[in-house]
């Protein structure tokens, strides 16, 4: 796969994945195309060697695996993980807000977005709607994507805010409410959003029980720079890694082992959910996998503790105007390839033996890479590697592509780095 092909595949996934639910929908599409078989969390499994399977986990997460044809008495386990969510704005219940003749929507902040990057952009909405079904315990779930520019969060004009270029703190409850409409007599001022949602979901407003709707940036992906060295798009954090996981699991097969990917929701808010990296769901699915293949619990435990997890999330590229924010030595530029993320605090999984495994893979297959650490006096981010490895007691390394404007409504990466990430993710599943 060359750079152009890697970006084409990534662009398609970025465009389709407008909410964590749609990210999983796109993931299932790719897995279906690769002849993977869907399984249920709550039903028995009949697994066959040489096949691939996937399990949707509470709508916004997914685990997939392939089974080698010659596993023997002690199959080896390799895993890759990424997260399906990103910092954004999310609608509250009864979101209709009227201000004079304006119809706005009441939102709350999800994760840690750079708020001012959401201003003056064409925004849309996507998510899931739950409708009354035949049983209270089985509501009907419909996934919706409104696809068109519906919302704008307008800046206050500089004439009314003369200090704006000196730096203004935005209040989420005051400054970040998206504008949807100018009210008219024909619009129900108390239900103009609910009526829109019902139309999109194909149901009556009174049939809607609840919803989870995210605001997303409608901007298209594009290359940029003098020779197209950059790639600019919404949601690079962390759909770059999601796509690398999907490409690796669908194209690489180990005859003597089990390969698995875990795509988790809620990393941006701490992962402490039933579908997050701190959930016991991965361990239980892996145990169910091994027992369904006829192995005992001891074999399962041995495979997990001898396994290896490649945790994938983006890293910080050095900023062109603020080099002082990066470490004095361990710096990344867009185009440097894969970042191996390291931190003494273990906010990134840092173990010399594990890092050496990934470094050897990169060297053996001419995959560009650099090691990364944050400034010693500046707290960096964290990711799901350390969380997952704690639960699974599995060897782990954190990697990703370096990006600029992390947590912005639109982020920037090196155009060639996705190819490097996919190459490493693939080789990890082949050896």
């Amino acid at each position: 796969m060359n750079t152009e092909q890697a970006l084409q595949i990534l662009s398609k996934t970025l465009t389709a994945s407008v909410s964590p639910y749609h990210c999983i929908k796109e993931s299932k599409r790719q897995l279906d195309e690769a002849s993977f078989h869907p399984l249920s969390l709550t039903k028995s499994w009949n697994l066959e060697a040489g096949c691939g399977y996937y399990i949707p986990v509470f709508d916004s997460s997914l685990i997939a695996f392939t089974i080698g044809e010659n596993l023997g008495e002690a199959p080896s386990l390799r895993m890759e993980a990424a997260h399906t969510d990103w910092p954004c704005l999310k609608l509250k219940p009864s979101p209709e807000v009227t201000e004079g003749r304006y119809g706005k929507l009441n939102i709350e902040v999800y994760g840690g977005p750079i708020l001012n990057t959401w201003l003056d952009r064409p925004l849309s909405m996507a998510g899931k709607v739950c409708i009354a079904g035949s049983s209270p315990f089985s509501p009907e779930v419909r996934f919706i994507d409104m696809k068109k520019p519906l919302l704008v969060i307008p800046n206050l004009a500089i004439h009314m805010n003369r200090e704006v270029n000196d730096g203004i703190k935005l209040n989420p409850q005051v400054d970040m409410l998206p504008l949807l409409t100018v009210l008219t007599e024909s619009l129900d001022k108390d239900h103009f959003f609910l009526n829109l949602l019902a139309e999109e979901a194909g149901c009556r407003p009174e049939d809607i029980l609840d919803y989870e709707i995210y605001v997303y940036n409608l901007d298209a992906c594009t290359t940029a720079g003098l020779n197209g060295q950059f790639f600019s798009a919404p949601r690079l954090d962390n759909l770059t890694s999601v796509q690398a996981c999907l490409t690796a699991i669908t194209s690489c097969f180990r005859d003597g082992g089990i390969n698995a990917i875990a795509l988790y929701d809620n990393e941006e808010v701490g992962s402490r959910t039933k579908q997050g990296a701190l959930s016991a769901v991965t361990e239980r699915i892996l145990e169910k996998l091994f027992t369904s293949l006829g192995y005992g619990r001891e074999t399962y435990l041995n495979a997990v503790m001898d396994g290896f997890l490649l945790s994938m999330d983006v890293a910080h590229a050095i900023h062109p105007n603020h080099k002082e924010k990066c470490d004095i030595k361990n710096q990344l530029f867009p185009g440097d390839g894969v970042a191996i993320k390291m931190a003494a605090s273990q906010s990134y999984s840092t173990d010399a033996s594990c890092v050496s495994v990934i470094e050897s893979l990169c060297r053996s297959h001419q995959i560009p890479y650099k090691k990364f650490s944050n400034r010693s006096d500046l707290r960096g981010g964290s990711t799901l590697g350390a969380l997952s490895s704690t639960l699974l007691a599995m060897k782990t390394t954190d990697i990703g592509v370096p990006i600029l404007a992390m947590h912005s409504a639109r982020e920037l990466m090196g155009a060639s780095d996705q190819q490097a990430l996919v190459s490493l993710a693939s080789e990890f599943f082949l050896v």
Side-chain angles (χ1 to χ4, degrees), residues 361-411:
L361 279 174
C362 289
R363 290 184 178 186
S364 298
H365 299 281
Q366 293 78 53
I367 300 168
Y369 77 96
K370 288 188 75 172
K371 294 177 182 176
F372 168 81
S373 60
N374 289 293
R375 275 184 66 102
S376 301
D377 58 356
L378 187 65
R379 181 180 177 272
S382 60
T383 187
L384 51 83
L387 304 178
S388 296
S389 64
T390 300
L391 287 173
L392 294 171
M394 184 183 290
K395 292 170 285 188
T396 304
T397 300
D398 273 302
I399 66 165
V401 296
I403 71 169
L404 293 164
M406 189 184 297
H407 286 200
S408 171
R410 188 180 186 98
E411 298 159 323

Side-chain angles (χ1 to χ4, degrees), residues 129-142 209:
V129 182
C130 295
I131 300 166
S134 57
S135 164
F137 285 91
S138 301
E140 181 184 347
V141 177
R142 298 183 186 179
L209 298 171

Side-chain angles (χ1 to χ4, degrees), residues 12-13 24-34:
K12 187 172 183 178
T13 298
I24 295 305
K25 184 178 178 181
E26 170 62 18
S27 300
K28 289 162 63 176
R29 184 195 67 78
Q30 293 187 37
L31 293 164
D32 287 336
E33 276 192 0

Side-chain angles (χ1 to χ4, degrees), residues 229-382:
Q229 307 103 315
F230 304 120
F231 182 71
S232 172
R235 304 179 286 281
L236 294 179
D237 177 9
N238 186 33
L239 297 185
T240 52
S241 303
V242 168
Q243 185 55 60
C245 288
L246 289 167
T247 299
I249 196 74
T250 55
S251 60
C252 303
F253 193 84
R254 279 190 311 130
D255 194 43
I258 293 171
N259 293 337
I261 63 170
L263 309 179
Y264 296 113
D265 194 7
N266 302 133
E267 189 274 344
E268 299 291 356
V269 291
S271 297
R272 297 178 182 275
T273 62
K274 64 186 182 303
Q275 60 272 0
L278 274 173
S279 168
V281 70
T282 304
E283 186 178 14
R284 291 172 182 174
I285 285 175
L286 290 176
E287 183 173 9
K288 190 171 180 177
L289 161 58
F290 275 77
T291 56
S292 296
L293 291 171
Y295 293 103
R297 181 167 175 78
E298 184 177 4
T299 301
Y300 155 68
L301 292 174
N302 290 341
V304 169
M305 288 187 284
D306 192 43
F308 203 115
L309 171 64
L310 194 60
S311 167
M312 291 193 273
D313 200 351
V314 293
H316 294 287
I318 186 169
H319 196 279
N321 301 325
H322 291 282
K323 66 178 183 179
E324 75 280 359
K325 295 295 184 181
C326 286
D327 184 62
I328 58 176
K329 289 275 298 210
N330 300 288
Q331 302 170 354
L332 300 170
F333 283 82
D336 278 348
V338 176
I340 299 178
K341 302 161 66 175
M342 306 175 71
S345 67
Q346 296 296 323
S347 55
Y348 309 133
S349 296
T350 300
D351 178 294
S353 297
C354 298
V355 167
S356 297
V357 170
I358 303 308
E359 195 167 4
S360 294
L361 279 174
C362 289
R363 290 184 178 186
S364 298
H365 299 281
Q366 293 78 53
I367 300 168
Y369 77 96
K370 288 188 75 172
K371 294 177 182 176
F372 168 81
S373 60
N374 289 293
R375 275 184 66 102
S376 301
D377 58 356
L378 187 65
R379 181 180 177 272
S382 60

